[in-house]
Amino acid sequence: MELATRAPMDVLLRPAALARAWMGPGRDPETIAVPGVVLGPGDVLVRIDLVTITEDDLAITDGDEQCPVPTVLGREFVGRIAALGGTVAAVDGIPLELGERVVSAVGPHERIGAHRELVGGFATHVHLVEGTPIARVGEALPACILAPVPGAGARAAAIMRRLEEAADPEDLLVTVAGTGADPLVLAAMIAASGGRPRVASADPRVRARAERFGAALAPEHILETDLSARFMAASPDPRKLVVRGGAPTPADLVAAVAFMRAPGTRRYPFADLVSAPLPFARLDEAIDLARAGRHLRVAIDPGA
């Protein structure tokens, strides 16, 4: 109750935070300076260490998907707590502290508004509103492994959770479809659980990397962009089941973080999925690089 009655807190930023505002198809994006934010009770300000460009970001910039404008794109990032609107707990229930390294759940795109300019990861800072699931990630792993966790990692964990609800993944043959980094993360999760993943993605970048993430190549190509897993249910009613994605839960974010931090996961070259980071000033160049498709994730380091 005390937290709910706290007054908003003004946070001055010196130097001012920077954000790349997406103005809509056919309009040039704008870099905006944000000299301060107003944190409501339970809000968190995160200074971004690394943000990655995802397929959704490209779809929006290419005009294939719509979102509120103006906004700030970028939903996969890792950063450090820069300011807290009172006592704010991470998903483990323990209060967050300044300087802790965190990732946060992916929320819907939000239109920039008064005192709400820092609404996405293509920025030096992001303003997370009360109730946003936030998970600690520790100091051991490089940022390039952690930044995709809220997107690709959490989506794969959501599929993995549904798969485990339907069957025991140990020694289960699972055909994984989808494009981008997601099917490789899911394949590694299945392999780590004792299953036998097969990659049926039509994305040649995924197929070329499948073996390094514990997966065989399926003979067929499944022309789906969204992540999915197919397997045969056990008797007495054998049938093919398909598990598709949905909105990840906070528990899926926790599971994705735990998977990436597990010692056994280090056999999989997740760092190789992400480009060397470009500075924030070269964001437009980074988007072009992501569009070229050489890397499954192109990284931006706002502090570079």
Side-chain angles (χ1 to χ4, degrees), residues 22-28 59-67 69:
W22 169 247
M23 309 303 292
R27 301 182 62 186
D28 292 334
I60 291 170
T61 57
D62 290 343
D64 297 329
E65 291 185 13
Q66 294 184 340
C67 71
V69 293

Side-chain angles (χ1 to χ4, degrees), residues 112-128:
I112 290 173
H115 306 300
R116 284 290 297 151
E117 297 91 351
L118 302 174
V119 296
F122 290 172
T124 59
H125 298 70
V126 63
H127 180 175
L128 304 177

Side-chain angles (χ1 to χ4, degrees), residues 206-219:
V206 175
R207 298 182 69 85
R209 294 167 170 85
E211 185 176 352
R212 285 179 285 166
F213 289 86
L217 283 178

Side-chain angles (χ1 to χ4, degrees), residues 27-46:
R27 301 182 62 186
D28 292 334
E30 298 179 9
T31 299
I32 58 175
V34 183
V37 297
V38 177
L39 295 184
D43 288 1
V44 176
L45 184 68
V46 174

Side-chain angles (χ1 to χ4, degrees), residues 172-193:
L172 188 68
L173 181 63
V174 184
T175 301
V176 177
T179 60
D182 296 31
L184 295 174
V185 180
L186 178 57
M189 287 182 177
I190 294 168
S193 296

Side-chain angles (χ1 to χ4, degrees), residues 18 48-51 121-125 278-281 300-304:
L18 298 176
I48 295 176
D49 290 338
L50 198 76
V51 59
F122 290 172
T124 59
H125 298 70
L278 277 68
F280 180 76
I300 299 295
D301 179 354

Side-chain angles (χ1 to χ4, degrees), residues 67-291:
C67 71
V69 293
T71 190
V72 180
L73 303 177
R75 291 297 182 271
E76 287 186 350
F77 54 83
V78 59
R80 294 185 182 274
I81 303 295
L84 293 161
T87 301
V88 184
V91 288
D92 60 8
I94 300 173
L96 293 163
E97 297 182 3
L98 295 178
E100 285 195 291
R101 200 168 180 229
V102 298
V103 295
S104 70
V106 174
H109 291 286
E110 180 182 347
R111 191 178 190 277
I112 290 173
H115 306 300
R116 284 290 297 151
E117 297 91 351
L118 302 174
V119 296
F122 290 172
T124 59
H125 298 70
V126 63
H127 180 175
L128 304 177
V129 296
E130 179 184 15
T132 302
I134 300 172
R136 296 176 173 84
V137 293
E139 300 293 335
L141 292 179
C144 62
I145 290 178
L146 294 170
V149 165
R155 287 190 294 269
I159 294 282
M160 194 68 195
R161 169 173 52 83
R162 295 184 179 96
L163 191 157
E164 290 173 338
E165 291 170 353
D168 181 355
E170 187 172 359
D171 204 35
L172 188 68
L173 181 63
V174 184
T175 301
V176 177
T179 60
D182 296 31
L184 295 174
V185 180
L186 178 57
M189 287 182 177
I190 294 168
S193 296
R196 295 178 292 138
R198 301 190 313 166
V199 166
S201 171
D203 187 337
R205 303 172 302 169
V206 175
R207 298 182 69 85
R209 294 167 170 85
E211 185 176 352
R212 285 179 285 166
F213 289 86
L217 283 178
E220 72 272 24
H221 290 189
I222 298 176
L223 301 177
E224 293 180 353
T225 57
D226 293 336
L227 186 63
S228 66
R230 292 164 167 79
F231 58 95
M232 290 297 297
S235 57
D237 183 22
R239 66 193 187 283
K240 180 175 285 188
L241 297 180
V242 181
V243 178
R244 301 188 186 280
T249 67
D252 296 326
L253 177 66
V254 172
V257 170
F259 173 74
M260 289 301 179
R261 296 182 68 182
T265 301
R266 309 207 178 156
R267 75 187 75 169
Y268 307 115
F270 284 107
D272 294 349
L273 301 181
V274 182
S275 75
L278 277 68
F280 180 76
R282 296 173 63 186
L283 177 57
D284 292 340
E285 180 183 338
I287 291 174
D288 288 339
L289 181 62
R291 191 178 287 116

